[in-house]
Amino acid sequence: ATADEPVSFAAVIADDGRVEPRDEMPEGYRRTLVRQIAQHAHSEIIGMQPEGNWISRAPSLRRKAILMAKVQDEAGHGLYLYAAAETLGADRADLLDQLHSGRQKYSSIFNYPTLTWADVGAIGWLVDGAAIVNQVPLCRCSYGPYARAMVRVCKEESFHQRQGFEILHTLSHGTAEQKAMAQDAVDRYWWPSLMMFGPPDDDSPNSAQSMAWGIKRFSNDDLRQRFVDMTVPQAEALGLTLPDPEIRWNEERGHYDFGDIDFTELFEVIKGNGPCNAQRLAHRVKAHDDGAWVREAASAYAAKQSARSEG
Ligand code: ACO
């Protein structure tokens, strides 16, 4: 094809190329990306709440500064992702409206409470660890703006994962009470972290098409296995136990075996029946309403600036 002869969508996908905002694309591809990117963006900003809960109670000034920076990173990821969705013609206000009215989803994991300081460590280590495993392949997503956003997001997530590991390492090598607190956090966050990867492959309605389009590069179950394989040795290094007696190395498969996941719990949480769904959404809606004056002031200022530059 020459410069004025657009390469067809099918050819770009077949060639493992990148689709850019102005390229032609099937409506289903556009819709799937808006769905996934919006859910991803919503997860980032709802994900600020469980950890935000501990900013005022972090055990030292250093821990507090690190946690504040981390929660701000999540806000940044959300903004980045909303901008990526906008390149597909989505309207940010409309996406937020769909989140607030429960028509669009966000990750199940953020509907669990953060009961102790150790939960901040478990979220960094397990939740951000799972996010990295899921998102590194998205750096090769066929849609250019999403793929490029993921590069920076993954670098920051690696720092988050590391700080979570370090919190748990400190607690695990502290007093008996601190170690017990770390173990309790891991016990509560382990199974929900495995659920982050989504339903099993044979119960994942979107996977086949998303993989054919190069949006997803690996299946939900493949990524979940990769996460288990990565995490088991890290748990050993921490001196903590994963709450699954069936975890053992399988020489034949070259992977760790693990126990059955209770997917009814995942589906219940997705439906809105998790421990904190109502609280998370109510808090988000209130923050949005409280911020209305900022959005209005910013729009009025922008309108004034553009009227001035035209005049
Ligand atoms: N929490 C909430 N909803 C979920 C979850 C979950 N853990 N897993 C799957 N779902 C939803 C899917 O969004 C889909 O719903 P929809 O069709 O109404 O949109 C439905 O369950 C069926 O699942 P799949 O067919 O497997 O959906 P999909 O192909 O989109 O795969 C996945 C789900 C793996 C989460 C994918 O969307 C993805 O990789 N998203 C990008 C990463 C992301 O959003 N991460 C957020 C958490 S990490 C963080 O923010 C720190």
Side-chain angles (χ1 to χ4, degrees), residues 35-36 39-40 43-44 74 105-110 127-128 131 134-135 138 146 157 195-199 203-207 210 216 220 266 270:
R35 174 185 66 80
Q36 179 168 324
Q39 285 180 8
H40 196 163
S43 304
E44 299 285 357
E74 309 293 358
K105 301 183 168 77
Y106 59 88
S107 181
S108 51
I109 192 71
F110 301 118
V127 175
D128 296 325
N134 168 271
Q135 289 168 23
L138 292 174
Y146 189 32
E157 293 293 357
M195 293 174 201
M196 285 174 69
F197 293 92
D203 208 5
S204 163
N206 301 302
S207 277
S210 287
K216 285 167 86 162
N220 297 358
L266 172 66
I270 293 178

Side-chain angles (χ1 to χ4, degrees), residues 12-92:
V12 172
I13 298 296
D15 199 34
D16 199 15
R18 294 291 169 268
V19 178
E20 295 300 334
R22 290 172 191 210
D23 295 347
E24 57 139 325
M25 60 184 92
E27 180 53 23
Y29 178 81
R30 198 190 68 82
R31 228 180 315 118
T32 296
L33 277 166
V34 170
R35 174 185 66 80
Q36 179 168 324
I37 297 172
Q39 285 180 8
H40 196 163
H42 299 331
S43 304
E44 299 285 357
I45 60 165
I46 295 274
M48 296 167 71
Q49 292 185 40
E51 292 174 290
N53 184 34
W54 280 91
I55 290 176
S56 60
R57 288 175 287 157
S60 70
L61 180 62
R62 178 174 160 266
R63 295 286 185 200
K64 187 178 182 131
I66 294 170
L67 184 58
M68 260 166 57
K70 193 208 151 172
V71 172
Q72 280 181 4
D73 284 352
E74 309 293 358
H77 297 173
L79 299 183
Y80 233 52
L81 286 160
Y82 286 121
E86 283 174 327
T87 66
L88 290 155
D91 174 64
R92 189 181 299 216

Side-chain angles (χ1 to χ4, degrees), residues 117-118 166-175 178-182:
W117 168 251
E166 202 255 343
I167 288 175
L168 290 180
H169 192 272
T170 304
L171 291 173
S172 170
H173 294 80
T175 65
Q178 286 170 330
K179 182 161 186 178
M181 195 204 282

